[in-house]
Amino acid sequence: MAKIIQHWVKRHSFNLNTLYPKVALMVAAEFWEQGDLERTVLDQQPIVSLWRSVLLLERSHCDKSSNPRFSDFVDKQTGYTTKNILAAPLMNGKDPLGVVMAINKVGGNEFSKADEDLFTKYITFATVIALQHYTSYMYNVESRRSQVLQWTASKVFEELTDIERQFHKALYTVRTYLLCERYSVGLLDMTKEKEFYDEWPVKLGDVEPYKGPKTPDGREINFYKIIDYLLESKEEIKVIPTPPVDHWALVSGLPTYVAENGFICNMMNVAADDYFTFQKEAVDESGFVIKNVLSLPIVNKKEEIVGVATFFNRKDGKPFDEQDEQITEALTQFLGWSVLNCDTYDKLNRTEWRREIAAEMVIYQTKATPAEVQQILVRHHTSSCFKETADCDQREMYKLLRANIPEAKDVDLLLFSFSDLPVSELDLIKCGIRCFFELGVVEKFKVPAEVLTKWMYTVRKGYRDITYHNWRHGFNVGQTMFCLLQTGRLRKYYSDLDAFAMVAAAFCHDIDHRGTNNLYQTKSTSPLAKLHGSSILERHHLDYSKTLMAEESVNIFQSLQKRQFETVQHLHDVCIIATDLALYFKKRTMFQKIVDATEPMADEKEAIAYVSNNPIRKEIIMAMMMTGCDLSAITKPWEVQSKVALMVAAEFWEQGDLERTVLDQQPIPMMDRNKSDELPKMQCGFIDFVCSFVYKEFSRFHKEITPMFDGLNNNRVHWKELADIYQAKVDAIENERKRLEEEQAKKATGEDGGEGGKSKTCTIF
Amino acid sequence: MAKIIQHWVKRHSFNLNTLYPKVALMVAAEFWEQGDLERTVLDQQPIVSLWRSVLLLERSHCDKSSNPRFSDFVDKQTGYTTKNILAAPLMNGKDPLGVVMAINKVGGNEFSKADEDLFTKYITFATVIALQHYTSYMYNVESRRSQVLQWTASKVFEELTDIERQFHKALYTVRTYLLCERYSVGLLDMTKEKEFYDEWPVKLGDVEPYKGPKTPDGREINFYKIIDYLLESKEEIKVIPTPPVDHWALVSGLPTYVAENGFICNMMNVAADDYFTFQKEAVDESGFVIKNVLSLPIVNKKEEIVGVATFFNRKDGKPFDEQDEQITEALTQFLGWSVLNCDTYDKLNRTEWRREIAAEMVIYQTKATPAEVQQILVRHHTSSCFKETADCDQREMYKLLRANIPEAKDVDLLLFSFSDLPVSELDLIKCGIRCFFELGVVEKFKVPAEVLTKWMYTVRKGYRDITYHNWRHGFNVGQTMFCLLQTGRLRKYYSDLDAFAMVAAAFCHDIDHRGTNNLYQTKSTSPLAKLHGSSILERHHLDYSKTLMAEESVNIFQSLQKRQFETVQHLHDVCIIATDLALYFKKRTMFQKIVDATEPMADEKEAIAYVSNNPIRKEIIMAMMMTGCDLSAITKPWEVQSKVALMVAAEFWEQGDLERTVLDQQPIPMMDRNKSDELPKMQCGFIDFVCSFVYKEFSRFHKEITPMFDGLNNNRVHWKELADIYQAKVDAIENERKRLEEEQAKKATGEDGGEGGKSKTCTIF
């Protein structure tokens, strides 16, 4: 026997790739050179429960005639006569790996004590061999499982698209680890409810209601697609859309059964199965015949069965075992979970489409209508200019447009003291157009007259009709930018394209403002605040202005080259984000340094070179110009400023009201209408801590801008006066209160005094 | 020796959980009872390359003195004198598992041939043991790896939120498989670019540019959060937001190094490392001291390093080995891939917020403004009605509104022959409001006058100013629904709430129509077509009408109870989807059956019961009413129909033009303006195949509706006449063409004849 054991050692122990799970039994079979012993030993227990049932056996030697557990099944099958058996289990701790048996003692009627001792000795070694085979098999199983999971994961996260593509990729990638001849995945229709009109005939009783199988969550079972992977001989993948019910992969009813119950079904012997009838002959021209089948549901995280994966014919011809079930279960479980990716992707797409639909509606609703454009640009087809070239046509159109809009000088467009108050909103649109003509950018950058008109009108419509941050404010900022460039002579640092972009950005800088500030967006967790981490509203205004650039019919930058267009976009970023006052303090010092550096320069050219050769300095000045524009109301003549300041305050108070009612919070004094008396004082503070620097530095930078600083200082005087008057009133009331108190006190003292010196209260102290 | 081998068998072979990877060497060490033999045998190769290097050894017996490979390292360490060695490798196929050595022959100067033979015999068994240990260890590794993957997957797909939560959950779930004392994950800031204003100081040279380490994709390395899992003694998880750079987990520089290079770093002996200096003393109050460290980058599918996972101190005190690297690599790889989930979720959220922003803008831009409402509803505060109760106020408001809108009878609102053509769009809004008063639903369902006015005006504004499917069409469908209910006496089957919803739905049924049909949406792959699989535009109109219901200030159904509101919503579904003509044929027979069934009923009550007790019949009739309304233009007096039909046609032709220009496709004849002459013929076809049934059946159902059928038939006569005239023209031209051809042919024959009978061509035949 020793020789034979050594033989096994050589034969089996080095081969890690042997896949036979019941190796110990094979070893036993080889040892005693008898065929199918399993059933004999195991009282004809079926194969599947073999591992468990051997546990019941004790190491024993048995005499066939006297042992009630003996079965003559194999003897009958083989014609061999079993007389006596010496048997012992191979154990892995408490788990049995197999049974070793010696049958029919040679030269004796029964196995002796000596036989038993010898047998026992070798059992120790046989156990090592069996265990090595078993461990090696289990290692292979686990290694395949982790490979399957890793590859599936790799594919599942490669691309988020539809469930079909995801399953397909993953299942194809792991094919070598599945060790079966063929497998398929059937995808289930996920529709839960029918359209109401399709339900009518059923509800009216005209059509029989569906009585077929349903998934546990109530869907009618309908495989809308089968992907069939044939791994035998030449590999082949077939996709069968809307497979017929008698398709070989469905006709047995097993996939439907799995989809209905969510069970894992392991059909070990298809031919012998009487519950499901599989196709007995070859299923297709490949000659493939179904021998055994393992079918599993693919269940998503919502516990819905989304498909059924079926594996056919284990590669080694044996039925699928528990380990195969484990590997395929890991795979299908993972696939099921990964449906979340597809679902999310689908949700993302649907949300994106809804966003696109809404975005188009916004553009449609806010874009100036032809009738509105006509209010400004009445097209006359002059006989002198045939539509031969667009250029010729445009020249005529420019002429017409210029004729329809006021001259800059007639409406003080070039003055820092310009006031919008006497001008109608429509005329402000016309004035906006005039700015671009004055800049000389319309012809230079080939902005079609109609597009310019439509853009300007659309910008106006983009502003909401709110108390302060409305079109009038938007216009004022654009006009001030225009003024700073032209009258303030800041233009010399900038190209025509820069100037074009800066004025356009200034007009757009508060478009679609809602009358509440960034902090309110955050506190009310508006979608704007969720979308943008900082400079919330500014980023929205910027987005809006870029949306207009993306809409050809209102894109004033449509004739620019790609690089020019990118410059314009960047300048919009700089200009519009710069209007976030929270960023004002970041740029103060940098701006001041530029002013400091240029102030001593005697030669203007030197200053121009210093600024315009450095894109960063240009941007910093530009950003500060935007602040100068945004706050310019505070530099206007007192009769204007006093009115506008009230509008700003009114909008703040409205926000304060919202904070009280909607957010249930106490507004800050600036937004509290109960503290409106303190407005003059707050204006003084605002001038001193924010505005003063801006206009002082700009006046130092360019003396042409001094009118703004003068205006500011003049308003400072007025606000101070009002603040003082209010303060005087407060003081007077306070004094009066004190006087009355004192009087009261005196009176009381007098009365008390009358009654006898100190009060009782005092004596208690 | 046999005894000792048996001892191993018992000691090792059953213990699958032994984790020592170099088991064969341990066996060897135990066998010869000598300490650190590894280095002696292996020419002092370092531990990591041990497995590979033994491959170089041949089975040999060596004499210390004569063998140049002998190293006296261990002898020097132990004081033992090695004289001679008999050694052999334990092999797993071609892979060495270890080395067995016998040292110093007892009773001889060297090992004999007999010693070698005995040694060789036992090597076979030793190999089995070693292999079993090795396989068992590898099984454990693979099994842990697949567990780690499965659990990670389970968590990663549980919830799509942020990367922190995802990593946290996954890492916590797999903690038992990692077999280390502590681990941490550091999350990296993903910001690639700074804001332009933060770059200014750097670009100006005022601030030093960042010179610290960067990730391979160029990000500054900044761990914004560390999650620290302590598994020793009592489990503990710490989250350290914005950890200081001298935090013990970062201070060595290893995580930064990993983030910078993307390497997996296995520091086997932290104390001896001179590149990274780890904290030598206990890192915190737990007393934890770092011994060995395994650190891996977490890389997403875009190849960006999103974080670094670091594992400290393998549980058994040994350094982390190749298998630990494999397991943790599988884990970190998986975590990296799963970032896609978070990214997608983030994208989904951002898209959703953008959608919400756009949706709010749509509502803002289309909602009737206070000024517009004032055009219809001028509020007078009558002295007789103080604002004591809302009811009292509303009664006054109703009075006012009724006074401001035309009476139904004055504008033929109750006639099927009503024409909108002489009525202004504003007056149509007023007429719409009148319908609801006539139905008696305004007071009953407590619709505030202002809300009703605002809703009606907003519906009007929701319609685009296109050729046919504009507000006039929307109004006509609503008016016809009103007429069918009142004049057509279909109201008797419906509740007041039904009637209210039906008329409202009819007014909204084509809101925001774009002048192109469903097929065009599909062919142009518009977002609408992507969103809705069928009844594309109808679903959009429905969505729109429901958006209005969600906006309190225009929600005419605001006073309803929840159940009533749900009914209204459902009736909107039925009514608006029903206007998809593609569904018309589905309901034809069902409607006819109802008409057939009620026709013989003598008692009106019986018919009412037959319909109104069955919600499906009510819905079918309702759906057919919508079709009747939608097509009602074809029943109008000829002077109206002839004009409207041209508008319908004009819109079709515009779509045809788009198909030609945008889609580069040939439109169908109905949409081809080159085939406009065939309009009368097509109208006859449309009447015969679609419209006739509707109005014939409705007339049969309710004789009060006969005027519609009469109108239709009258128009049929007109269209037929025009078609005939056109046909006569076509025929005349055709006849003329034929005549000319024949003449030509005759002429030719005459000429040919003149030249001599048959033509040459004929003779060739």
Side-chain angles (χ1 to χ4, degrees), chain A residues 248-249 270-271 278-283 288-293 312-313:
Chain A
W248 69 264
V270 157
F278 291 87
Q279 190 166 316
K280 289 202 168 45
E281 58 278 17
V283 300
F288 178 82
V289 175
I290 306 170
K291 286 177 225 154
N292 43 57
V293 181
F312 301 97
N313 298 7

Side-chain angles (χ1 to χ4, degrees), chain A residues 416 480 484 628-629 632 635 695 699 705-713:
Chain A
F416 287 114
T480 310
L484 280 173
C629 295
S632 63
T635 69
Y695 300 105
S699 302
I705 306 174
T706 315
M708 295 190 91
F709 191 45
D710 294 343
L712 177 79
N713 288 327

Side-chain angles (χ1 to χ4, degrees), chain B residues 602-613:
Chain B
D603 186 7
E604 195 190 14
K605 274 183 192 157
E606 194 187 348
I608 292 176
Y610 179 78
V611 171
S612 54
N613 292 344

Side-chain angles (χ1 to χ4, degrees), chain A residues 510-525:
Chain A
D510 261 343
I511 198 164
D512 201 47
H513 198 290
R514 289 99 197 276
T516 47
N517 66 6
N518 285 338
L519 192 59
Y520 185 83
Q521 308 308 318
T522 306
K523 287 197 287 195
S524 63
T525 59

Side-chain angles (χ1 to χ4, degrees), chain B residues 169-217:
Chain B
K169 271 189 165 183
L171 281 166
Y172 181 71
T173 315
V174 300
R175 68 197 181 287
T176 49
Y177 304 107
L178 299 175
L179 301 182
C180 64
E181 294 181 351
R182 190 167 194 154
Y183 58 94
S184 71
V185 60
L187 297 166
L188 281 169
D189 191 346
M190 295 305 289
T191 314
K192 273 197 185 158
E193 275 176 48
K194 285 189 173 174
E195 292 284 351
F196 61 85
Y197 43 80
D198 286 327
E199 295 279 20
W200 283 343
V202 178
K203 285 186 179 165
L204 282 175
D206 292 351
V207 166
E208 272 287 284
Y210 176 85
K211 286 201 178 110
K214 290 189 170 186
T215 59
D217 59 304

Side-chain angles (χ1 to χ4, degrees), chain A residues 512-662:
Chain A
D512 201 47
H513 198 290
R514 289 99 197 276
T516 47
N517 66 6
N518 285 338
L519 192 59
Y520 185 83
Q521 308 308 318
T522 306
K523 287 197 287 195
S524 63
T525 59
S526 73
L528 278 178
K530 289 179 189 156
L531 188 62
H532 304 298
S534 63
S535 304
I536 299 168
L537 282 163
E538 291 74 17
R539 284 179 209 278
H540 179 61
H541 308 316
L542 178 60
D543 277 358
Y544 201 126
S545 66
K546 287 188 176 172
T547 305
L548 297 183
M549 291 187 216
E551 179 67 18
E552 208 54 10
S553 66
V554 292
N555 180 16
I556 51 174
F557 305 108
Q558 59 180 233
S559 306
L560 300 187
Q561 288 155 9
K562 194 165 172 289
R563 281 287 292 277
Q564 290 180 311
F565 190 72
E566 283 163 8
T567 303
V568 166
Q569 293 232 329
H570 176 65
L571 296 187
H572 271 73
D573 292 347
V574 173
C575 288
I576 298 183
I577 300 302
T579 59
D580 182 0
L581 259 191
L583 303 175
Y584 163 66
F585 293 93
K586 286 202 179 190
K587 65 191 173 200
R588 258 170 91 126
T589 323
M590 289 187 273
F591 178 61
Q592 198 165 30
K593 272 192 185 169
I594 296 170
V595 179
D596 288 344
T598 52
E599 206 176 26
M601 292 179 189
D603 186 9
E604 196 188 16
K605 275 182 192 160
E606 196 188 346
I608 293 176
Y610 179 78
V611 172
S612 53
N613 292 344
N614 183 318
I616 306 304
R617 294 198 187 110
K618 278 169 69 182
E619 285 181 16
I620 293 168
I621 298 169
M622 188 185 295
M624 196 53 93
M625 286 166 80
M626 286 299 296
T627 307
C629 295
D630 206 11
L631 307 178
S632 63
I634 207 140
T635 69
K636 297 282 175 182
W638 172 247
E639 63 276 15
V640 177
Q641 153 65 189
S642 57
K643 283 183 189 124
V644 176
L646 273 177
M647 287 189 247
V648 180
E651 198 178 277
F652 279 152
W653 295 332
E654 285 161 24
Q655 175 174 330
D657 296 344
L658 285 177
E659 288 178 356
R660 250 190 290 263
T661 54
V662 179

Side-chain angles (χ1 to χ4, degrees), chain A residues 397-527:
Chain A
M397 292 295 286
Y398 287 150
K399 225 156 118 187
L400 175 69
L401 184 50
R402 278 169 173 282
N404 286 354
I405 58 178
E407 293 285 340
K409 61 180 187 326
D410 295 343
V411 282
D412 297 344
L413 221 48
L414 280 156
L415 298 187
F416 287 114
S417 58
F418 171 88
S419 167
D420 67 285
L421 299 179
V423 188
S424 77
E425 291 188 344
L426 181 65
D427 281 345
L428 290 180
I429 298 175
K430 293 180 184 172
C431 290
I433 297 170
R434 172 58 68 192
C435 292
F436 292 105
F437 275 109
E438 289 292 308
L439 287 171
V441 296
V442 184
E443 290 92 345
K444 175 159 184 178
F445 297 110
K446 297 193 176 56
V447 191
E450 197 169 344
V451 172
L452 178 61
T453 311
K454 203 161 189 174
W455 175 81
M456 198 76 245
Y457 209 122
T458 303
V459 170
R460 183 267 163 274
K461 287 176 85 179
Y463 278 91
R464 301 192 178 195
D465 292 328
I466 52 179
T467 311
Y468 177 66
H469 287 101
N470 50 38
W471 163 233
R472 287 183 178 275
H473 169 66
F475 175 83
N476 278 318
V477 171
Q479 185 269 338
T480 310
M481 176 56 82
F482 169 71
C483 245
L484 280 173
L485 286 168
Q486 305 293 82
T487 312
R489 296 189 56 246
L490 291 172
R491 175 128 189 217
K492 61 187 175 189
Y493 308 114
Y494 297 100
S495 71
D496 288 343
L497 189 66
D498 292 339
F500 185 17
M502 287 158 77
V503 174
F507 279 126
C508 290
H509 87 288
D510 261 343
I511 198 164
D512 201 47
H513 198 290
R514 289 99 197 276
T516 47
N517 66 6
N518 285 338
L519 192 59
Y520 185 83
Q521 308 308 318
T522 306
K523 287 197 287 195
S524 63
T525 59
S526 73

Side-chain angles (χ1 to χ4, degrees), chain B residues 271-290:
Chain B
D273 202 84
D274 44 10
Y275 194 85
F276 300 108
T277 314
F278 292 87
Q279 190 166 318
K280 289 200 168 46
E281 56 279 18
V283 301
D284 54 19
E285 64 287 352
S286 75
F288 178 81
V289 174
I290 305 170

